[in-house]
Amino acid sequence: HNHVMYPNILSNMDFAIQTRITTLYEMSKYVKKAWLTYFSIIIFLPFIRLLNIWVFYEKNANSAHENAWITFKKMRELYPNRRIYYIINTKAKKSINLKDDNIVLLGTWKYYIILYLAKVLLSSETRYHVLGDAQFHRSMLSSKLSKKVHVFLQHGMNGIKEVPMFHYGHGQIDFLIAASNWEKDVITRKWHYPEKKVFVTGLPRWDDLNIQNLEKGVITFVPTWQSNLADLSHKSFEKTSFFKSYSGLFLDENFINVVKDYNLEVNIV
């Protein structure tokens, strides 16, 4: 009784019929709240462009450490009077101890009002992650979100990955940033985005690095997310080519000598 069956297009663009447990924000009290909000603010919908509300969020609206949060923080510093908001769920906000008057909690009345009236969505994930665990629930709200401008701030150098649903024309992304001119070239050629929709800015989270530490000779390795390694035991992880490649480098005599000669600090995160 707590399951739902639905059609889905997978990340590799295959069609599938899937089942899953009904999530928290798909429960009737939230669905009713979304509909009540819609009928309450419907007369204001023609003024979306004038209100110019921007909404930031990250994966499942469940964190605040990626490009969306860094950009939101900076914009709050530079433009404190602009209508920009950050969406996150209650549990995550408490655990991270976030403090900002423009942080909006998932599932609240303010959350639904802001989403319906928002003009631009800016995130480190795809469009519907702003719905939290209800991102696969199709509703009036998700329909309205599909028509809003979505700016993909990325969460890594995605241009080198095979992610078909990120490609141009799939309705997930309207504009996106690139870490470099090289990545922009990959995105325009392989993801088929027009050049005018890709902006080379670097990743916002790089702007949050401690410059003083960087000037002291620090080498930081930041490997991209490896989904196939996520649930491995320590013993199994040590058998992977990923572990062997990095451990081989860190134990290499030439690498160790360079680190010592230049008094470098080496980190892997």
Side-chain angles (χ1 to χ4, degrees):
H1 294 293
N2 294 325
H3 284 69
V4 60
M5 180 180 291
Y6 62 100
N8 192 24
I9 301 296
L10 305 178
S11 60
N12 63 0
M13 301 313 294
D14 285 344
F15 176 81
I17 299 293
Q18 297 181 308
T19 62
R20 58 176 172 76
I21 297 175
T22 303
T23 63
L24 173 63
Y25 295 103
E26 288 179 307
M27 292 183 176
S28 60
K29 74 171 186 176
Y30 293 107
V31 174
K32 290 176 182 176
K33 189 181 286 189
W35 275 104
L36 285 172
T37 304
Y38 176 71
F39 289 120
S40 299
I41 57 89
I42 193 169
I43 60 173
F44 298 104
L45 293 180
F47 302 102
I48 284 178
R49 205 173 272 275
L50 180 64
L51 291 169
N52 197 25
I53 294 173
W54 292 19
V55 171
F56 293 82
Y57 55 96
E58 292 180 356
K59 189 177 183 67
N60 297 321
N62 194 35
S63 63
H65 66 273
E66 259 290 356
N67 293 322
W69 173 249
I70 300 302
T71 308
F72 169 78
K73 280 200 309 179
K74 193 64 178 179
M75 286 194 68
R76 287 288 285 153
E77 292 174 13
L78 297 175
Y79 311 103
N81 297 320
R82 289 196 63 169
R83 296 185 183 95
I84 63 172
Y85 300 92
Y86 191 84
I87 305 295
I88 193 168
N89 67 42
T90 303
K91 184 178 179 180
K93 181 179 183 292
K94 287 181 179 178
S95 66
I96 305 170
N97 193 28
L98 299 179
K99 295 179 181 179
D100 190 294
D101 291 340
N102 282 29
I103 291 175
V104 178
L105 296 178
L106 201 70
T108 60
W109 289 105
K110 185 176 182 179
Y111 162 77
Y112 291 110
I113 292 170
I114 293 296
L115 276 195
Y116 277 121
L117 296 178
K119 175 184 175 183
V120 183
L121 308 174
L122 303 99
S123 71
S124 53
E125 283 290 345
T126 52
R127 184 186 302 272
Y128 300 105
H129 276 260
V130 74
L131 298 172
D133 64 17
Q135 61 180 283
F136 299 110
H137 182 79
R138 292 299 165 252
S139 62
M140 172 62 74
L141 180 55
S142 63
S143 176
K144 293 297 181 184
L145 290 176
S146 71
K147 297 175 175 60
K148 298 184 185 296
V149 175
H150 177 235
V151 181
F152 182 39
L153 299 174
Q154 297 220 43
H155 51 262
M157 291 187 63
N158 287 287
I160 61 176
K161 297 179 181 178
E162 290 295 331
V163 192
M165 85 170 140
F166 285 0
H167 291 186
Y168 187 64
H170 289 166
Q172 288 283 0
I173 299 165
D174 296 305
F175 299 93
L176 68 161
I177 67 169
S180 64
N181 287 319
W182 175 84
E183 189 184 25
K184 177 179 180 178
D185 181 61
V186 173
I187 290 171
T188 54
R189 285 189 296 103
K190 293 190 175 181
W191 291 15
H192 312 297
Y193 279 87
E195 288 198 15
K196 64 181 180 180
K197 290 184 175 288
V198 186
F199 304 93
V200 180
T201 63
L203 299 183
R205 67 186 184 204
W206 292 349
D207 296 334
D208 211 38
L209 293 173
N210 190 321
I211 300 302
Q212 290 182 337
N213 283 342
L214 291 178
E215 291 174 348
K216 293 179 182 178
V218 177
I219 300 176
T220 302
F221 292 87
V222 190
T224 187
W225 171 246
Q226 308 285 323
S227 58
N228 58 314
L229 306 179
D231 299 318
L232 295 180
S233 65
H234 287 291
K235 189 173 182 179
S236 297
F237 175 67
E238 290 175 355
K239 295 179 181 178
T240 64
S241 59
F242 178 90
F243 175 83
K244 290 176 181 178
S245 296
Y246 278 104
S247 61
L249 173 64
F250 297 147
L251 296 174
D252 182 81
E253 186 175 345
N254 292 327
F255 181 77
I256 293 172
N257 289 336
V258 170
V259 171
K260 288 180 178 178
D261 291 344
Y262 290 92
N263 192 29
L264 300 174
E265 176 184 328
V266 180
N267 303 300
I268 182 168
V269 295

